[in-house]
Amino acid sequence: MVRLLKTPKMNHGGNSTTMEDLDDYMLTQILLRLPNCETVLVCSAVNKRWCSLISDPNFQVHFADHKNKTTAFLNDVPQWSLIATIKIVVATMKSWEQPFITEFLFGSPKLSLEFLPGNSIKTMATFKDLVLCSSKTTDQSGRRVYYITNPLTKQWVALPPRPYQWPRIQSTALICQPPYNHTQDYKFRVVEVLDPHMDTFDLFVYCSEIGEWKEIKLRVPSEEFRQLDTTVVCNGIIYFKSGLSLVGLDPFDVDDTCDTTLEARVMPPLPNFGHLQESSGQILVVHTPGRQQGIPCLYKKDGSAIELEMVVSKLDPNQVPLVWETTFQGQCKGTWNSIELPYITKLGYIYATNIWVQPYNDKLIYIYLAHENQLVLCNTGTGGITPSKSLPHNKKLIFHSLEQQWWPTLVPSLVQRVTLEQNMHVATTTVEV
């Protein structure tokens, strides 16, 4: 494609015409048909005219719309990646340091977070193609600064630090409100979930409209919520799981006028003790029956033959009435002749520590076997299990999904914007792709 664009002349009925002879409309139509946003961004460096057309926000909207229309019948979706955050503890003369290493898996080998400032960068959450990271401040407070970044464009923005150092954090979420893919001035929330009490969760929420953190109590059914198991974001709502109980919260209900205590949305109980996930705008629970509730459990029959019992159920939050539907119940099987699986219990079980569902296809389920350093793919459509990727030996890997968009999402604008030199609390920078 690039070679074609550099061709100086094209013959049309004996007339000699260059690309620059085309009007803006025709040139835009050609650029809209490029295969992906990476190619478009490369073409923006051809000359000022091309850069001006591509930089127009309307072009970005038309590019995404064109891709959605022309690729729907091909079942084509943007690339996605898993981000594995590895915690490494290093003993020093004075203290224990805890650096974090982030590795991008699947289809995104060129992405990294090395352009972010600070040290000990940790991936906290993702939303589509945006990543929420944190790093320690340079002062003595021990607080961490949050960064919202797009690894593809290398744009990043730093949020104001927390007002004070908080207790142990259970989970973190990033939620952006449409049209986040068309503008930089969209609303967003960063939600921190602390240890639950008898009938409430303590939440700290960063509200983009006011540029401040707010402390909120979320009231939940006390007889059902013993502790927080998992949180997941689906269609702009953050859901909290405890055992078989599930509640939700619209984080945009948190603003400068809301009460300090909010009521959670009570959802239908989960059908089993599974792992909560989101895929294609629906909530999924993946259950792998075993000796321990909710923990995936492979069984090695003989040689390298592997079996996995699995039950997958899903819930459409927009459906009325809200009903869990079982989409798969059975076994996934595989034979690994080239992979040694040394960690086998006396009963022949291989335990797994993480599970993740492909964001565009709920039939593709990835499971991490910590003791075997292996990420495996279970396809509930075919019933097969295949090895996917070998990972560093670490039982405490944390996975996040990165969903590339047809056009990269811009990092959000903040209420107050100052330079990094003026204040480490808020900063924005961009590096060309």
Side-chain angles (χ1 to χ4, degrees):
M1 176 59 70
V2 175
R3 186 165 56 250
L4 173 61
L5 294 175
K6 290 184 177 181
T7 302
K9 295 183 179 181
M10 296 183 294
N11 293 325
H12 299 283
N15 295 325
S16 179
T17 305
T18 68
M19 291 289 289
E20 292 307 311
D21 291 330
L22 300 175
D23 59 25
D24 287 352
Y25 174 79
M26 290 301 298
L27 181 56
T28 299
Q29 291 301 309
I30 294 175
L31 295 173
L32 288 176
R33 286 159 173 77
L34 293 175
N36 49 55
C37 63
E38 290 93 335
T39 306
V40 175
L41 293 174
V42 170
C43 291
S44 65
V46 171
N47 54 45
K48 292 183 178 179
R49 181 192 176 201
W50 288 34
C51 181
S52 177
L53 292 175
I54 294 172
S55 301
D56 188 336
N58 290 326
F59 176 87
Q60 303 167 15
V61 175
H62 294 325
F63 184 86
D65 290 343
H66 181 270
K67 283 295 181 184
N68 289 330
K69 292 178 181 178
T70 58
T71 61
F73 68 96
L74 297 176
N75 197 28
D76 190 14
V77 295
Q79 288 184 340
W80 77 287
S81 177
L82 275 180
I83 306 176
T85 299
I86 308 165
K87 180 179 180 180
I88 301 178
V89 179
V90 180
T92 63
M93 294 291 293
K94 298 181 179 180
S95 63
W96 289 83
E97 297 180 357
Q98 297 181 345
F100 294 90
I101 299 176
T102 297
E103 180 180 357
F104 288 80
L105 316 174
F106 308 134
S108 301
K110 63 182 179 181
L111 298 181
S112 73
L113 299 174
E114 296 179 355
F115 56 87
L116 291 175
N119 52 38
S120 188
I121 297 293
K122 180 181 179 181
T123 300
M124 304 296 294
T126 58
F127 182 86
K128 304 302 181 182
D129 54 342
L130 297 178
V131 182
L132 177 68
C133 303
S134 69
S135 70
K136 292 182 179 179
T137 57
T138 56
D139 56 30
Q140 301 299 319
S141 66
R143 295 181 297 178
R144 302 186 73 89
V145 174
Y146 279 111
Y147 302 98
I148 299 177
T149 181
N150 189 315
L152 180 62
T153 62
K154 296 183 174 61
Q155 291 181 320
W156 58 268
V157 61
L159 305 183
R162 308 162 183 167
Y164 49 86
Q165 189 172 1
W166 298 338
R168 179 178 176 85
I169 297 171
Q170 291 287 325
S171 64
T172 310
L174 170 66
I175 305 100
C176 301
Q177 192 177 62
Y180 53 83
N181 54 338
H182 292 166
T183 178
Q184 196 173 14
D185 298 320
Y186 54 82
K187 298 180 182 179
F188 70 93
R189 295 288 186 269
V190 174
V191 181
E192 293 270 11
V193 185
L194 275 62
D195 291 323
H197 301 295
M198 288 297 295
D199 58 351
T200 60
F201 283 161
D202 286 335
L203 306 179
F204 287 89
V205 182
Y206 180 81
C207 302
S208 59
E209 307 94 288
I210 60 178
E212 296 179 359
W213 292 90
K214 293 205 64 174
E215 184 175 358
I216 298 294
K217 289 187 180 296
L218 180 65
R219 192 179 302 280
V220 297
S222 58
E223 68 278 6
E224 299 175 4
F225 266 76
R226 306 296 181 184
Q227 62 181 8
L228 179 64
D229 296 337
T230 315
T231 60
V232 67
V233 174
C234 181
N235 297 331
I237 306 296
I238 181 171
Y239 293 93
F240 308 89
K241 173 185 177 296
S242 176
L244 294 177
S245 300
L246 185 67
V247 299
L249 169 70
D250 185 345
F252 295 97
D253 288 342
V254 181
D255 54 30
D256 56 346
T257 62
C258 72
D259 295 333
T260 56
T261 301
L262 298 178
E263 298 290 335
R265 303 180 182 182
V266 180
M267 306 296 289
L270 276 68
N272 49 56
F273 292 94
H275 193 92
L276 199 66
Q277 285 287 293
E278 184 274 342
S279 181
S280 301
Q282 296 183 325
I283 305 174
L284 278 79
V285 56
V286 182
H287 179 52
T288 51
R291 293 194 305 166
Q292 299 183 26
Q293 291 180 338
I295 300 180
C297 179
L298 290 168
Y299 181 70
K300 184 174 181 181
K301 291 187 64 176
D302 51 19
S304 58
I306 304 296
E307 293 182 356
L308 173 64
E309 294 284 346
M310 184 179 294
V311 180
V312 181
S313 304
K314 68 179 180 180
L315 174 70
D316 187 346
N318 299 319
Q319 179 183 344
V320 180
L322 294 172
V323 179
W324 285 98
E325 174 191 358
T326 300
T327 59
F328 178 82
Q329 184 171 3
Q331 285 187 339
C332 289
K333 301 179 180 180
T335 302
W336 301 342
N337 295 322
S338 60
I339 298 179
E340 294 292 334
L341 299 176
Y343 188 81
I344 309 293
T345 66
K346 293 181 179 180
L347 298 178
Y349 289 109
I350 307 171
Y351 293 109
T353 57
N354 285 278
I355 188 169
W356 201 269
V357 180
Q358 214 265 24
Y360 302 113
N361 187 348
D362 58 16
K363 296 184 182 300
L364 302 181
I365 301 173
Y366 292 86
I367 296 179
Y368 176 53
L369 308 179
H371 293 91
E372 286 72 44
N373 314 327
Q374 186 71 41
L375 194 68
V376 300
L377 172 61
C378 298
N379 189 329
T380 59
T382 62
I385 301 178
T386 55
S388 179
K389 186 177 180 65
S390 296
L391 297 177
H393 181 72
N394 194 301
K395 299 179 184 178
K396 296 184 178 181
L397 281 178
I398 302 174
F399 293 94
H400 299 283
S401 175
L402 188 73
E403 305 174 34
Q404 297 292 347
Q405 305 298 290
W406 290 123
W407 192 265
T409 305
L410 298 174
V411 296
S413 59
L414 299 183
V415 173
Q416 297 179 349
R417 304 172 70 90
V418 294
T419 63
L420 179 62
E421 291 76 16
Q422 293 172 331
N423 196 329
M424 270 296 295
H425 294 180
V426 183
T428 304
T429 187
T430 304
V431 179
E432 292 185 2
V433 177

